[in-house]
Amino acid sequence: MIQLTNRLQQFLAKKNHHHFIDGSYTNAESEQQITVINPATEAAIGKVALGTKESVNQAVAAAKKAFNYNSDWRKMSPDDRGKILYRLAEKITEHAESLAQLVTLENGKLIKDARSSDAGGAAKTFRYYAGWATKIEGETLDISQPQKGGRQNFAFTRREPVGVVAAIVPWNFPISIAAWKIAPALAAGCTVVLKPSEETPLSALLLAELAMEAGMPPGVFNVITGDGRTTGASLTTHPDVKKITFTGSTYTGKIIGKAAMDNITDISLELGGKSPAIVFNDADDLAFAAQGVAAGIFRNQGQVCVAGSRVYIQKKVFDKVLTDISHAAQKMKISHGFDETAQLGPLVSKGHLQKVRGYIHTGMEEGATLVSGGVVNPKDKGFYLAPTIFSAPDNDQQIITEEIFGPVLVAVPFEDMEDALRLANDSHLGLAATVWTKDISKAMSMINRLEAGVIYVNSPVRSDPGLPLGGYKQSGIGRELGKVGVYSYTTLKSVNIVY
Ligand code: NAD
């Protein structure tokens, strides 16, 4: 068992955690509380405040004040802004173990994933965007307006920070997804109110502490804890919020999208996925492809937006590849996240476990063939589920049309490339896809015709701060990460000087 760091022990000793607003913890004693549960043990690890409308107003007011034209933040040079983001990346690295352990405690995920994807991922994102603070550009434009008396035009655009940003994030990668929003928003010069998921709110508070230690001026980055219905809704409908950046389910995304339109608030939505993995007969190494497909669905207990949860395998190699995937699944060691040898941890919550089990029941009722796994919890305590694989003849079952967001894979055979494209594109979602082939012409045809925002060839999908992420169809609106990510927190001003 891993020894918790001193910093984390001190953090957890507080037991009741409050919002982080204007550079310090607030006094939210009068608010209701949400108990945060460790999914591996089902024990409580702390309580956070359920933010009311008043608390949300306070957080937005702090962010608005910090965005005021004469504030330290607005007057700060891009270079100095970048330095603060870089220092925060270093703080995250210095306290990576505390952050990773906290993420494992509240989310259940494996400590190695919390170290690499959450703490490591967040540090990498802040480092990447630290460099962007000094690289935000407008354009000069050769316009054709006639001017009197031989006068000329000097037209240009400038990019300005959009203002107060409301960032709402899910529980599957609590601080790395938060970093995907906070880092570009701050690099662009915005201020932020972050609402983490009610399942995993603690790591966001620790991140806010580190931001202060990195020299972030008060009010620039605030954290409000709470649920979606009260806290999240108060934030997304606040008139002083100028941009909403949301990652979560398509269901919630639609609610938030409608709310945003009431105030005509800028919005980006990173939503659900049901991403296909397509394995051709000529995949370079079929065993490698099978391993990649298994890693693509079972990492983080399948709670990954870009998880390849439908695998289409060309008929000739269907049995072999499916057998290899199911062997890989059956060999996975299921244990709590602090077991360094574990390969699959618990799901995030009891409610989510029930939801995923419900889909497995539906799959069996609808006649899909259960290849491995099932609904039985392999442990006495904690929210565990064995990696589960179904096979089905076509796309007409609920388990293959709806996002399950758990360790559940459905395999379907296909004839040829046209058939693979028909099956893969037959979805209301379009977040990601993977293609497994050594034929570059086939891979390029698939890349051109797949309806997905992110495509990987011969690898499971992974994220990188430099590679934009976002969805086609109901998987979202807008892109985050990369250059487009930082520009999405700016608004364009067009200017013409007549001289
Ligand atoms: P969710 O939609 O239930 O909740 C996400 C966040 O929204 C939480 O913080 C929640 O409190 C808040 N929320 C809920 N209702 C709200 C409302 N009415 N107003 C404002 N905020 C509200 O999603 P989840 O279960 O936390 O996360 C899983 C989902 O996230 C999956 O669908 C997954 O695909 C998606 N996801 C997408 C990406 C991506 O990049 N596209 C990345 C990770 C996760």
Side-chain angles (χ1 to χ4, degrees), residues 10-17 33-34 45-48 202:
Q10 281 162 20
F11 179 87
L12 292 172
K14 276 191 282 185
K15 290 197 166 64
N16 296 313
H17 302 266
Q33 289 184 306
I34 298 174
I45 53 173
K47 289 182 176 180
V48 294
L202 296 172

Side-chain angles (χ1 to χ4, degrees), residues 168-172 177 180 195-198 226-229 232-233 236 246-250 252 255-256 270-273 305 403 405 431 469 475 480:
I168 300 188
V169 295
W171 43 259
N172 59 335
I177 292 182
W180 293 355
K195 195 204 82 64
S197 164
E198 50 273 52
D227 66 357
R229 217 164 16 153
T236 52
F246 172 75
T247 298
S249 62
T250 297
T252 308
I255 297 174
I256 293 179
E270 298 289 338
L271 308 177
C305 56
E403 182 185 46
F405 217 57
L431 191 55
L469 173 69
S475 285
E480 64 188 357

Side-chain angles (χ1 to χ4, degrees), residues 391-437:
S391 78
D394 211 311
N395 265 359
D396 44 14
Q397 308 208 349
Q398 216 181 334
I399 52 168
I400 207 157
T401 54
E402 290 181 21
E403 182 185 46
I404 300 176
F405 217 57
V408 182
L409 176 70
V410 191
V412 177
F414 69 87
E415 293 285 348
D416 52 19
M417 190 161 76
E418 286 307 316
D419 197 28
L421 282 163
R422 170 187 70 81
L423 290 160
N425 286 338
D426 173 26
S427 173
H428 68 292
L429 300 172
L431 191 55
T434 63
V435 179
W436 302 81
T437 175

Side-chain angles (χ1 to χ4, degrees), residues 364-477:
M364 293 189 294
E365 277 159 24
E366 288 185 343
T369 307
L370 187 64
V371 178
S372 61
V375 289
V376 179
N377 184 340
K379 303 270 176 200
D380 299 335
K381 228 176 183 29
F383 310 130
Y384 293 91
L385 197 63
T388 296
I389 303 173
F390 283 102
S391 78
D394 211 311
N395 265 359
D396 44 14
Q397 308 208 349
Q398 216 181 334
I399 52 168
I400 207 157
T401 54
E402 290 181 21
E403 182 185 46
I404 300 176
F405 217 57
V408 182
L409 176 70
V410 191
V412 177
F414 69 87
E415 293 285 348
D416 52 19
M417 190 161 76
E418 286 307 316
D419 197 28
L421 282 163
R422 170 187 70 81
L423 290 160
N425 286 338
D426 173 26
S427 173
H428 68 292
L429 300 172
L431 191 55
T434 63
V435 179
W436 302 81
T437 175
K438 62 173 179 258
D439 179 341
I440 188 70
S441 302
K442 194 183 284 173
M444 288 306 297
S445 300
M446 294 296 287
I447 290 167
N448 291 341
R449 294 175 61 190
L450 279 168
E451 294 162 0
V454 184
I455 298 175
Y456 267 61
V457 179
N458 297 328
S459 164
V461 177
R462 297 165 63 193
S463 66
D464 186 279
L467 191 67
L469 173 69
Y472 275 43
K473 302 192 263 190
Q474 292 194 24
S475 285
I477 296 176

Side-chain angles (χ1 to χ4, degrees), residues 204-242:
L205 293 170
L206 187 52
L207 183 66
E209 289 183 14
L210 298 179
M212 289 308 114
E213 290 165 25
M216 194 83 74
V220 170
F221 169 40
N222 309 275
V223 178
I224 180 112
T225 57
D227 66 357
R229 217 164 16 153
T230 307
T231 320
S234 304
L235 189 56
T236 52
T237 53
H238 199 296
D240 288 335
V241 165
K242 297 301 171 208

